[in-house]
PDB file of all heavy atoms in Angstrom:
ATOM      1  N   CYS A  54     102.683 114.911 123.629  1.00 97.00           N
ATOM      2  CA  CYS A  54     101.827 114.842 122.432  1.00 97.00           C
ATOM      3  C   CYS A  54     100.469 114.206 122.707  1.00 97.00           C
ATOM      4  O   CYS A  54      99.603 114.182 121.830  1.00 97.00           O
ATOM      5  CB  CYS A  54     102.539 114.095 121.307  1.00 97.00           C
ATOM      6  SG  CYS A  54     102.789 112.320 121.618  1.00 97.00           S
ATOM      7  N   LYS A  55     100.284 113.666 123.922  1.00 97.00           N
ATOM      8  CA  LYS A  55      99.021 113.056 124.363  1.00 97.00           C
ATOM      9  C   LYS A  55      98.681 111.759 123.628  1.00 97.00           C
ATOM     10  O   LYS A  55      97.542 111.287 123.690  1.00 97.00           O
ATOM     11  CB  LYS A  55      97.845 114.039 124.220  1.00 97.00           C
ATOM     12  CG  LYS A  55      98.066 115.387 124.888  1.00 97.00           C
ATOM     13  CD  LYS A  55      98.381 115.249 126.365  1.00 97.00           C
ATOM     14  CE  LYS A  55      98.584 116.616 127.018  1.00 97.00           C
ATOM     15  NZ  LYS A  55      99.011 116.498 128.437  1.00 97.00           N
ATOM     16  N   SER A  56      99.655 111.167 122.948  1.00 97.00           N
ATOM     17  CA  SER A  56      99.417 109.879 122.292  1.00 97.00           C
ATOM     18  C   SER A  56      99.283 108.777 123.337  1.00 97.00           C
ATOM     19  O   SER A  56      99.946 108.801 124.377  1.00 97.00           O
ATOM     20  CB  SER A  56     100.576 109.540 121.346  1.00 97.00           C
ATOM     21  OG  SER A  56     100.638 110.446 120.274  1.00 97.00           O
ATOM     22  N   ASP A  57      98.419 107.804 123.037  1.00 98.00           N
ATOM     23  CA  ASP A  57      98.209 106.657 123.920  1.00 98.00           C
ATOM     24  C   ASP A  57      98.926 105.439 123.352  1.00 98.00           C
ATOM     25  O   ASP A  57      98.947 105.225 122.132  1.00 98.00           O
ATOM     26  CB  ASP A  57      96.715 106.357 124.053  1.00 98.00           C
ATOM     27  CG  ASP A  57      95.974 107.471 124.763  1.00 98.00           C
ATOM     28  OD1 ASP A  57      96.311 107.749 125.925  1.00 98.00           O
ATOM     29  OD2 ASP A  57      95.057 108.062 124.155  1.00 98.00           O
ATOM     30  N   PHE A  58      99.476 104.607 124.250  1.00 98.00           N
ATOM     31  CA  PHE A  58     100.252 103.445 123.838  1.00 98.00           C
ATOM     32  C   PHE A  58      99.893 102.219 124.672  1.00 98.00           C
ATOM     33  O   PHE A  58      99.339 102.326 125.768  1.00 98.00           O
ATOM     34  CB  PHE A  58     101.759 103.709 124.017  1.00 98.00           C
ATOM     35  CG  PHE A  58     102.285 104.900 123.293  1.00 98.00           C
ATOM     36  CD1 PHE A  58     102.382 106.134 123.930  1.00 98.00           C
ATOM     37  CD2 PHE A  58     102.689 104.806 121.971  1.00 98.00           C
ATOM     38  CE1 PHE A  58     102.874 107.245 123.262  1.00 98.00           C
ATOM     39  CE2 PHE A  58     103.186 105.910 121.295  1.00 98.00           C
ATOM     40  CZ  PHE A  58     103.277 107.134 121.942  1.00 98.00           C
ATOM     41  N   TYR A  59     100.250 101.055 124.134  1.00 98.00           N
ATOM     42  CA  TYR A  59     100.299  99.811 124.896  1.00 98.00           C
ATOM     43  C   TYR A  59     101.601  99.122 124.510  1.00 98.00           C
ATOM     44  O   TYR A  59     102.277  99.536 123.557  1.00 98.00           O
ATOM     45  CB  TYR A  59      99.086  98.923 124.601  1.00 98.00           C
ATOM     46  CG  TYR A  59      98.970  98.465 123.167  1.00 98.00           C
ATOM     47  CD1 TYR A  59      99.406  97.200 122.770  1.00 98.00           C
ATOM     48  CD2 TYR A  59      98.413  99.292 122.190  1.00 98.00           C
ATOM     49  CE1 TYR A  59      99.299  96.781 121.455  1.00 98.00           C
ATOM     50  CE2 TYR A  59      98.303  98.883 120.875  1.00 98.00           C
ATOM     51  CZ  TYR A  59      98.745  97.631 120.508  1.00 98.00           C
ATOM     52  OH  TYR A  59      98.644  97.220 119.202  1.00 98.00           O
ATOM     53  N   LYS A  60     101.972  98.085 125.239  1.00 97.00           N
ATOM     54  CA  LYS A  60     103.252  97.428 124.964  1.00 97.00           C
ATOM     55  C   LYS A  60     103.048  95.996 124.494  1.00 97.00           C
ATOM     56  O   LYS A  60     102.176  95.281 124.983  1.00 97.00           O
ATOM     57  CB  LYS A  60     104.147  97.438 126.210  1.00 97.00           C
ATOM     58  CG  LYS A  60     104.722  98.799 126.545  1.00 97.00           C
ATOM     59  CD  LYS A  60     105.656  98.742 127.748  1.00 97.00           C
ATOM     60  CE  LYS A  60     107.004  98.153 127.375  1.00 97.00           C
ATOM     61  NZ  LYS A  60     107.962  98.209 128.513  1.00 97.00           N
ATOM     62  N   GLU A  61     103.877  95.603 123.532  1.00 95.00           N
ATOM     63  CA  GLU A  61     104.005  94.214 123.104  1.00 95.00           C
ATOM     64  C   GLU A  61     105.458  93.833 123.310  1.00 95.00           C
ATOM     65  O   GLU A  61     106.323  94.236 122.533  1.00 95.00           O
ATOM     66  CB  GLU A  61     103.599  94.052 121.637  1.00 95.00           C
ATOM     67  CG  GLU A  61     102.113  94.241 121.387  1.00 95.00           C
ATOM     68  CD  GLU A  61     101.731  94.047 119.933  1.00 95.00           C
ATOM     69  OE1 GLU A  61     102.610  94.216 119.055  1.00 95.00           O
ATOM     70  OE2 GLU A  61     100.560  93.728 119.669  1.00 95.00           O
ATOM     71  N   GLY A  62     105.740  93.107 124.371  1.00 95.00           N
ATOM     72  CA  GLY A  62     107.128  92.822 124.711  1.00 95.00           C
ATOM     73  C   GLY A  62     107.854  94.111 125.044  1.00 95.00           C
ATOM     74  O   GLY A  62     107.434  94.874 125.912  1.00 95.00           O
ATOM     75  N   GLU A  63     108.932  94.381 124.315  1.00 97.00           N
ATOM     76  CA  GLU A  63     109.713  95.601 124.533  1.00 97.00           C
ATOM     77  C   GLU A  63     109.379  96.688 123.516  1.00 97.00           C
ATOM     78  O   GLU A  63     110.154  97.622 123.327  1.00 97.00           O
ATOM     79  CB  GLU A  63     111.214  95.265 124.466  1.00 97.00           C
ATOM     80  CG  GLU A  63     111.686  94.333 125.569  1.00 97.00           C
ATOM     81  CD  GLU A  63     111.412  94.904 126.957  1.00 97.00           C
ATOM     82  OE1 GLU A  63     111.764  96.075 127.196  1.00 97.00           O
ATOM     83  OE2 GLU A  63     110.840  94.174 127.793  1.00 97.00           O
ATOM     84  N   MET A  64     108.222  96.561 122.872  1.00 97.00           N
ATOM     85  CA  MET A  64     107.797  97.540 121.878  1.00 97.00           C
ATOM     86  C   MET A  64     106.581  98.322 122.368  1.00 97.00           C
ATOM     87  O   MET A  64     105.610  97.731 122.849  1.00 97.00           O
ATOM     88  CB  MET A  64     107.433  96.849 120.565  1.00 97.00           C
ATOM     89  CG  MET A  64     108.600  96.263 119.803  1.00 97.00           C
ATOM     90  SD  MET A  64     109.664  97.520 119.067  1.00 97.00           S
ATOM     91  CE  MET A  64     108.539  98.241 117.855  1.00 97.00           C
ATOM     92  N   PHE A  65     106.652  99.644 122.257  1.00 98.00           N
ATOM     93  CA  PHE A  65     105.475 100.483 122.461  1.00 98.00           C
ATOM     94  C   PHE A  65     104.702 100.550 121.148  1.00 98.00           C
ATOM     95  O   PHE A  65     105.282 100.806 120.088  1.00 98.00           O
ATOM     96  CB  PHE A  65     105.879 101.902 122.874  1.00 98.00           C
ATOM     97  CG  PHE A  65     106.197 102.056 124.331  1.00 98.00           C
ATOM     98  CD1 PHE A  65     107.516 102.022 124.768  1.00 98.00           C
ATOM     99  CD2 PHE A  65     105.193 102.230 125.264  1.00 98.00           C
ATOM    100  CE1 PHE A  65     107.829 102.168 126.109  1.00 98.00           C
ATOM    101  CE2 PHE A  65     105.486 102.373 126.614  1.00 98.00           C
ATOM    102  CZ  PHE A  65     106.809 102.342 127.039  1.00 98.00           C
ATOM    103  N   GLN A  66     103.395 100.326 121.218  1.00 98.00           N
ATOM    104  CA  GLN A  66     102.523 100.437 120.053  1.00 98.00           C
ATOM    105  C   GLN A  66     101.509 101.547 120.312  1.00 98.00           C
ATOM    106  O   GLN A  66     100.908 101.609 121.381  1.00 98.00           O
ATOM    107  CB  GLN A  66     101.790  99.118 119.785  1.00 98.00           C
ATOM    108  CG  GLN A  66     102.697  97.915 119.600  1.00 98.00           C
ATOM    109  CD  GLN A  66     103.497  97.960 118.309  1.00 98.00           C
ATOM    110  OE1 GLN A  66     103.255  98.798 117.439  1.00 98.00           O
ATOM    111  NE2 GLN A  66     104.452  97.058 118.168  1.00 98.00           N
ATOM    112  N   LYS A  67     101.321 102.389 119.321  1.00 97.00           N
ATOM    113  CA  LYS A  67     100.392 103.511 119.460  1.00 97.00           C
ATOM    114  C   LYS A  67      98.959 103.055 119.185  1.00 97.00           C
ATOM    115  O   LYS A  67      98.696 102.364 118.212  1.00 97.00           O
ATOM    116  CB  LYS A  67     100.778 104.626 118.485  1.00 97.00           C
ATOM    117  CG  LYS A  67      99.957 105.900 118.601  1.00 97.00           C
ATOM    118  CD  LYS A  67     100.531 106.969 117.667  1.00 97.00           C
ATOM    119  CE  LYS A  67      99.735 108.264 117.747  1.00 97.00           C
ATOM    120  NZ  LYS A  67      98.447 108.163 117.056  1.00 97.00           N
ATOM    121  N   PHE A  68      98.055 103.429 120.066  1.00 97.00           N
ATOM    122  CA  PHE A  68      96.641 103.175 119.818  1.00 97.00           C
ATOM    123  C   PHE A  68      96.170 104.028 118.647  1.00 97.00           C
ATOM    124  O   PHE A  68      96.460 105.226 118.582  1.00 97.00           O
ATOM    125  CB  PHE A  68      95.793 103.542 121.041  1.00 97.00           C
ATOM    126  CG  PHE A  68      95.780 102.514 122.137  1.00 97.00           C
ATOM    127  CD1 PHE A  68      96.558 102.676 123.270  1.00 97.00           C
ATOM    128  CD2 PHE A  68      94.969 101.392 122.037  1.00 97.00           C
ATOM    129  CE1 PHE A  68      96.531 101.743 124.294  1.00 97.00           C
ATOM    130  CE2 PHE A  68      94.934 100.449 123.055  1.00 97.00           C
ATOM    131  CZ  PHE A  68      95.722 100.618 124.188  1.00 97.00           C
ATOM    132  N   ALA A  69      95.437 103.424 117.727  1.00 95.00           N
ATOM    133  CA  ALA A  69      94.772 104.198 116.684  1.00 95.00           C
ATOM    134  C   ALA A  69      93.579 104.927 117.300  1.00 95.00           C
ATOM    135  O   ALA A  69      93.133 104.611 118.407  1.00 95.00           O
ATOM    136  CB  ALA A  69      94.321 103.281 115.553  1.00 95.00           C
TER     137      ALA A  69
END
Side-chain angles (χ1 to χ4, degrees):
C54 68
K55 307 303 181 185
S56 294
D57 294 300
F58 303 94
Y59 62 98
K60 287 183 76 175
E61 291 181 336
E63 296 302 310
M64 290 289 294
F65 278 98
Q66 304 291 350
K67 185 175 180 285
F68 280 101

